[in-house]
Amino acid sequence: MKLLIVEDNLKLLDAITETLVAEKFLCETSANYPDAHEKIVMYNYDIMVIDINLPGGSGLDLIQEIKLQNPATGIIVISARNSLDNKLEGFDLGADDYLTKPFDMAELVARIKSLIRRRNFAGTSIVSFGDISIDTTRREVTANSQKIDLTKSEYDILLFFFSNPGRVLTRESIAEHIWGDNMDLADSFDFIYSHMKNLRKKITSTGCDDPIKAVYGVGYKFELA
Amino acid sequence: MKLIKRTYTYTAKWMIPVIIIGSVFCFYMIEYISYEETDEFLTYEMQRLIDYHEAHNDLPEFHQVANILPDVRFEKPMFKDTLMLEPGDNEMVPYRELYFTISHNGNDQTLVLRHLLIGRDDIAEGTLLIILGLMFLITVFLYIMVNSIAGKIWNPFYQTLDKLVKFKISGPLPEFPATAIDEFQSLNTTLDTLLKKIADDYRHNKEFGENASHELQTHLAIIRANTEKLLNSPDTSLELEELQKIYTASTKLSQVQKSLTLLSKINNREYSNPVKVDFRKTVEQAFEIFTEAITIREISVDKHLRACTLTMDAGLAEILVNNLVKNAVKHNIQNGTIRIILSPVELTIENSGLPFNGNADMLLERFAKGKSGNIGIGLAIVKQICELYNFRISYTVSEQAEHKISIFFPQK
């Protein structure tokens, strides 16, 4: 899986690259418009992560260029501009997803993996972790060979965990993943707690080991015992 | 009231004294002229009789003498008004008489000349006709005059006004047409300067907001990414609690920044893409987001939704409704209630919550402080959107701790 990351802030670029490399993605980076443009013309990428505000040009123009060069490339826009117009314009040009800065690396990883699933690069829509597997097209979860019914949020959280196994997911990160901008984070912790409790109960009721570990005061972590 | 209508009204008011004074003047003028002419006529006749008498010692065959008073003497000819019965239509008619004395064969003979005067009622009638005719003419000409003058003179003003009304702060500056009238030229120049200043301020403000937002969010993203990295570090000697504090603060900061940017954008009218928004659908969608939160808290929801379509920015409509529903869920209690009423006139959302003493309207302000500290900015955004669209908003808390927010849509 080959990725191109275009972001002008080098520190952020480093942080993103480091995370994605740790996820075993093949990453190339670019910090300005001309360089990114050249790379797009010369090479093929499966996924591109693009910032809109770039020195030397707009990320929106880059999206147009990619669509011309290689329409199969998945595009995730990351922008500090929260304006609806930009978002719509990005989608109109063919961006697949949009993230506003600042975002959690866990969220970026989840979005990239979700995009990969939707593009069906891996050829299957089933992701498994230990005894638990998720069929992402049918939104069905099986644990210990038993089907379990999850609510929308529980499903979203589980899939979020699946995208970031072994990584600490902060409560803020989970809240943002479920509600986006629609919930003030500090107020949502009660709800997260309830969701976690229910999710754990549903998984362990199948005889599965509880894969969700609480990290005191921070959040949760998904790993096999 | 329109400028031109005002002009008519004022002109009409000033016409009243003109009519009154004009009528009186006209009346006396006609009367005076009528006397003047009659007296002149009588004087000529008197002179003719005196001359004839001196030449022929007799009166001419045709004369106007109405009466001869023997042995009565007037030193000087004397005019006198009198009324006489006109048998024709049986009414008293005014006459002018001239008494003068001639000496006939040594005897004083006073001759009386008499001539019909124009009656006062006739003068009044004449006056009325003249004034009415004049008024009619004046009105017609005034109308034409005011219209054509107003059209010509005020035209640049109306053009300026029209451009001002259509002016949008995010659009290009209007160009006012040049005019030869100094006042309007000065108005246009002043407006030009003013609008330029406003547009510049607006642009700077917007740019500042965008730059501040971009820089801030990018660096917050770095803080967050690195804190996240440390949180995931296998080195357990790290102080997780402190890291979590940094992480939480940076998350909070970016949220506040987003909200403030949104507020300032609403204030700057940067969301001006009005479409017809089906509010019932917006409300249903908002509840969908919070369904699970509502289930977890075991809140009973009572919805009374009637069709309601409003013309506004779709994004803002969503933000408005989402914030209201979020607020009702967030500040609710276990086993609480939410009651929402939507009609073409109002959107009211009522929820059980904690008792609140004080002015509930204060909760609509930015960073209003609640019992649990900062209660945030969501309702301030709601209020700002309401202000933008001239919706009236009220927030009340009953003694049973029922929180009620009502938004009234303006009716056309």
Side-chain angles (χ1 to χ4, degrees), chain A residues 9 11-12 15 18 53 80 83-84 100-102 104-106 151-153 167-168 170 172-173 176 179 181-185 187 190-191 194-195 217-218, chain B residues 213-214 217-222 224-226 228-229 231-232 240 244 247-248 251 254-255 258 265 271 289-290 292-293 296-297 313 315 322 326 329-330:
Chain A
N9 187 301
K11 287 180 205 148
L12 187 57
E18 214 173 298
N53 276 21
S83 98
L84 293 165
T100 32
K101 288 184 200 167
D104 276 321
M105 289 305 138
T151 65
K152 185 177 172 296
S153 298
R167 180 192 284 272
V168 177
T170 60
E172 282 91 343
S173 189
E176 260 186 1
W179 285 294
D181 281 341
N182 284 312
M183 199 55 157
D184 303 329
L185 303 176
D187 300 289
D190 291 353
F191 298 123
S194 302
H195 283 317
V218 179
Chain B
S213 166
H214 184 259
Q217 300 293 18
T218 305
H219 288 99
L220 280 169
I222 297 167
R224 242 173 117 163
N226 286 292
E228 215 190 329
K229 204 169 100 189
L231 283 173
N232 277 295
L240 275 189
Q244 175 61 26
Y247 180 84
T248 307
T251 315
S254 75
Q255 260 206 333
K258 271 185 200 168
K265 279 188 177 173
Y271 298 105
I289 299 173
F290 299 102
E292 289 183 48
I296 289 173
R297 283 223 162 141
D313 188 274
N322 284 0
K326 174 182 77 183
V329 175
K330 199 171 100 177

Side-chain angles (χ1 to χ4, degrees), chain A:
Chain A
M1 200 64 50
K2 201 164 143 197
L3 272 69
L4 177 64
I5 306 151
V6 188
E7 159 65 52
D8 63 317
N9 187 301
L10 293 177
K11 287 180 205 148
L12 187 57
L13 184 62
D14 279 349
I16 295 174
T17 317
E18 214 173 298
T19 312
L20 296 180
V21 166
E23 292 288 336
K24 308 276 182 280
F25 289 118
L26 192 60
C27 294
E28 284 191 27
T29 59
S30 187
N32 59 53
Y33 181 89
D35 183 54
H37 190 266
E38 199 183 304
K39 285 203 162 97
I40 291 168
V41 176
M42 291 178 65
Y43 310 105
N44 276 341
Y45 298 96
D46 299 308
I47 305 267
M48 292 199 47
V49 178
I50 300 180
D51 185 14
I52 298 281
N53 276 21
L54 290 173
S58 163
L60 294 173
D61 295 334
L62 283 180
I63 297 177
Q64 263 177 326
E65 188 62 39
I66 303 159
K67 286 286 146 190
L68 227 66
Q69 300 289 337
N70 184 10
T73 307
I75 299 161
I76 294 176
V77 171
I78 50 172
S79 173
R81 289 207 227 154
N82 191 16
S83 98
L84 293 165
D85 292 342
N86 254 329
K87 201 165 185 165
L88 290 178
E89 200 179 340
F91 281 128
D92 278 348
L93 290 175
D96 296 281
D97 214 336
Y98 192 101
L99 266 176
T100 32
K101 288 184 200 167
F103 47 84
D104 276 321
M105 289 305 138
E107 183 67 34
L108 179 64
V109 171
R111 300 279 185 112
I112 291 175
K113 288 189 175 169
S114 153
L115 182 56
I116 290 170
R117 280 195 303 273
R118 271 185 285 156
R119 286 291 161 104
N120 205 12
F121 287 127
T124 170
S125 64
I126 296 171
V127 275
S128 301
F129 193 83
D131 287 340
I132 310 167
S133 61
I134 303 178
D135 183 338
T136 52
T137 28
R138 300 161 85 177
R139 296 179 74 89
E140 274 176 7
V141 182
T142 334
N144 208 5
S145 312
Q146 293 172 46
K147 225 171 94 177
I148 51 176
D149 271 333
L150 297 182
T151 65
K152 185 177 172 296
S153 298
E154 287 159 9
Y155 176 85
D156 287 344
I157 293 171
L158 188 64
L159 194 55
F160 193 35
F161 274 130
F162 264 60
S163 299
N164 293 282
R167 180 192 284 272
V168 177
L169 298 183
T170 60
R171 290 172 302 189
E172 282 91 343
S173 189
I174 295 170
E176 260 186 1
H177 185 74
I178 308 177
W179 285 294
D181 281 341
N182 284 312
M183 199 55 157
D184 303 329
L185 303 176
D187 300 289
S188 56
F189 294 165
D190 291 353
F191 298 123
I192 304 273
Y193 176 76
S194 302
H195 283 317
M196 285 303 167
K197 205 174 70 184
N198 294 339
L199 184 59
R200 278 168 151 171
K201 216 191 296 176
K202 285 178 185 174
I203 293 173
T204 49
S205 70
T206 63
C208 237
D209 284 338
D210 180 7
I212 301 169
K213 309 276 174 291
V215 181
Y216 181 73
V218 179
Y220 302 88
K221 197 171 173 180
F222 193 74
E223 59 186 3
L224 292 176

Side-chain angles (χ1 to χ4, degrees), chain B residues 253-375:
Chain B
L253 191 57
S254 75
Q255 260 206 333
V256 169
Q257 153 76 13
K258 271 185 200 168
S259 302
L260 286 176
T261 310
L262 179 65
L263 263 178
S264 105
K265 279 188 177 173
I266 297 170
N267 205 20
N268 278 346
R269 287 154 202 274
E270 281 178 49
Y271 298 105
S272 45
N273 185 19
V275 288
K276 284 204 182 305
V277 177
D278 180 355
F279 250 61
R280 188 154 59 173
K281 213 166 126 196
T282 315
V283 170
E284 294 284 10
Q285 280 167 353
F287 269 97
E288 221 152 89
I289 299 173
F290 299 102
T291 319
E292 289 183 48
I294 289 170
T295 320
I296 289 173
R297 283 223 162 141
E298 298 175 88
I299 297 169
S300 65
V301 179
D302 185 13
K303 282 190 236 171
H304 300 271
L305 307 180
R306 280 167 57 198
C308 170
T309 312
L310 292 174
T311 306
M312 63 186 290
D313 188 274
L316 288 189
E318 201 178 298
I319 291 170
L320 176 81
V321 175
N322 284 0
N323 269 316
L324 283 175
V325 176
K326 174 182 77 183
N327 188 66
V329 175
K330 199 171 100 177
H331 297 294
N332 219 315
I333 49 174
Q334 197 68 27
N335 284 313
T337 56
I338 292 178
R339 186 179 150 86
I340 183 160
I341 302 164
L342 176 72
S343 78
V345 190
E346 61 166 328
L347 171 66
T348 292
I349 182 158
E350 246 180 292
N351 65 277
S352 52
L354 297 171
F356 178 78
N357 297 317
N359 187 1
D361 273 339
M362 285 302 292
L363 295 175
L364 297 171
E365 301 299 326
R366 299 178 186 195
F367 305 120
K369 301 278 181 201
K371 236 180 188 167
S372 54
N374 213 328
I375 68 159

